[in-house]
Amino acid sequence: MMADGQEDDLPEGGFAEVRGGPTVLRILVGAQLRRLREASGISREEAAYAIRGSEAKMSRIESGRVGFKPRDVADLLTMYGLTEGSARDVVLSLAEQANEPSWWHRYSDTMPDWFSTYVGLEQAATIIRTYEAQYVPGLLQTEAYAHAVVNLGEAVRSDEVSKRVELRMHRQQLLHLPKPPEYWAVIDEAVLRRNLGGRKAMREQLDHILEASRLPHITVQVVPFDRSDVAAVGGPFTLLRFAEPDLPDIVYLEQLNSALYLNKDVDVMNYLQIMNRLAAGALTPQLSTDLIASVRDAL
């Protein structure tokens, strides 16, 4: 049996329909374990002792940063008073699903862990807003353009380049799901003018952006050169928003060999204001389309 009130905290039907695979399931199951612990009046230190671990381990479990050992989850649920019934079965089942490899696991040899986390969150997002000052955003890149971008990075073998490009193309399937996320990209005019992969590849890339922007869930805006003050916001960033209440809005900042994931309200609000300022200062979607087409015709 469970302590009073805990049964009502469990989501009806579990998280079976959650999109985003193991990354999101880990976050949701971790959040559920935290709620159950707090409702039971048990400290994180006490819970850690019950599973023969440290408080730091419990923190990683509850934040969804690590996979789950079935024995640990079972012991924690028992400690929290969830000893039997469907609610316990749901959490145990979801914890098991969270340990299963996702479709992007096959690219793990060429994809760092910090980016694997992003891919999982990207797959779960219902709204994706991104700003790019140098390159076409990954979800809008053509294969030829992606090859050129990947080759600009650190030296890698040709087979690794192909695998990274393949991953990028696979990620783009997200935008063609029956219920795709709302995708809103703001890009600097320099992105359009930077010839990557040759004239033919750039024409194809700009055509691809024009085609994508005709889809109702995709918005593309361009910040022109004469509004450079609007674009003076630092490097590229992405804002992710989720339908699940246990997943806070996240700002993703990719660096050379790592990434930052910001989810504090003050940080998210700051970047949301920047994104809104960028969108307000950029050309309208229609004028952006006209500019992209004119650049494409001039190639």
Side-chain angles (χ1 to χ4, degrees):
M1 298 295 292
M2 299 178 61
D4 291 344
Q6 290 186 13
E7 186 79 44
D8 294 336
D9 291 334
L10 287 171
E12 184 178 354
F15 308 111
E17 299 303 318
V18 169
R19 191 175 71 195
T23 302
V24 173
L25 282 176
R26 285 198 305 268
I27 295 173
L28 296 178
V29 172
Q32 183 61 34
L33 291 173
R34 174 182 52 77
R35 282 200 301 269
L36 291 170
R37 175 180 59 77
E38 292 174 348
S40 301
I42 296 171
S43 70
R44 186 176 287 166
E45 183 179 8
E46 292 171 326
Y49 182 80
I51 60 172
R52 305 151 295 279
S54 64
E55 191 170 351
K57 176 182 177 179
M58 273 302 304
S59 177
R60 290 192 295 270
I61 288 175
E62 292 184 350
S63 63
R65 285 180 287 164
V66 294
F68 305 105
K69 292 182 179 179
R71 176 183 174 184
D72 288 346
V73 177
D75 288 349
L76 288 172
L77 293 177
T78 298
M79 186 182 194
Y80 302 155
L82 194 60
T83 58
E84 60 184 356
S86 60
R88 178 185 173 94
D89 293 340
V90 165
V91 178
L92 287 173
S93 174
L94 292 171
E96 183 177 353
Q97 293 177 46
N99 289 330
E100 295 177 357
S102 51
W103 64 258
W104 54 92
H105 178 74
R106 73 179 75 115
Y107 302 102
S108 59
D109 57 337
T110 59
M111 178 172 57
D113 290 342
W114 52 263
F115 189 67
S116 176
T117 298
Y118 173 76
V119 173
L121 293 171
E122 179 183 71
Q123 296 293 307
T126 54
I127 299 176
I128 303 173
R129 299 182 68 182
T130 189
Y131 168 68
E132 272 287 354
Q134 297 190 67
Y135 309 118
V136 172
L139 291 182
L140 294 179
Q141 291 180 9
T142 62
E143 187 170 348
Y145 184 93
H147 266 284
V149 172
V150 172
N151 277 317
L152 286 175
E154 60 188 64
V156 293
R157 301 191 312 269
S158 59
D159 61 320
E160 291 181 338
V161 171
S162 297
K163 205 164 185 180
R164 292 185 186 188
V165 172
E166 183 182 327
L167 168 63
R168 196 161 299 181
M169 297 300 103
H170 201 152
R171 284 170 51 208
Q172 294 180 6
Q173 295 179 17
L174 174 70
L175 298 180
H176 303 283
L177 294 173
K179 293 183 179 180
E182 293 292 325
Y183 185 74
W184 188 351
V186 178
I187 59 178
D188 193 83
E189 184 177 347
V191 172
L192 310 179
R193 306 285 183 180
R194 185 172 289 111
N195 193 332
L196 291 179
R199 294 175 61 187
K200 180 176 183 294
M202 276 305 299
R203 284 197 297 268
E204 291 176 349
Q205 176 60 77
L206 296 179
D207 282 339
H208 182 68
I209 296 175
L210 291 171
E211 182 180 354
S213 65
R214 287 195 286 267
L215 297 174
H217 59 283
I218 295 179
T219 300
V220 178
Q221 290 184 265
V222 177
V223 179
F225 287 140
D226 61 4
R227 300 184 188 178
S228 58
D229 57 317
V230 175
V233 296
F237 65 94
T238 299
L239 275 165
L240 302 172
R241 176 161 289 180
F242 310 91
E244 291 76 24
D246 286 315
L247 287 175
D249 292 352
I250 290 176
V251 177
Y252 173 74
L253 301 170
E254 187 169 323
Q255 301 175 327
L256 184 61
N257 292 309
S258 62
L260 294 177
Y261 294 86
L262 309 179
N263 61 10
K264 292 183 178 179
D265 289 344
V266 63
D267 293 328
V268 172
M269 183 56 65
N270 181 40
Y271 276 92
L272 180 60
Q273 290 173 348
I274 292 173
M275 184 64 81
N276 288 338
R277 179 161 62 88
L278 282 165
L283 298 176
T284 65
Q286 181 57 57
L287 290 176
S288 296
T289 295
D290 294 342
L291 177 58
I292 295 169
S294 68
V295 174
R296 189 262 182 229
D297 292 341
L299 285 172

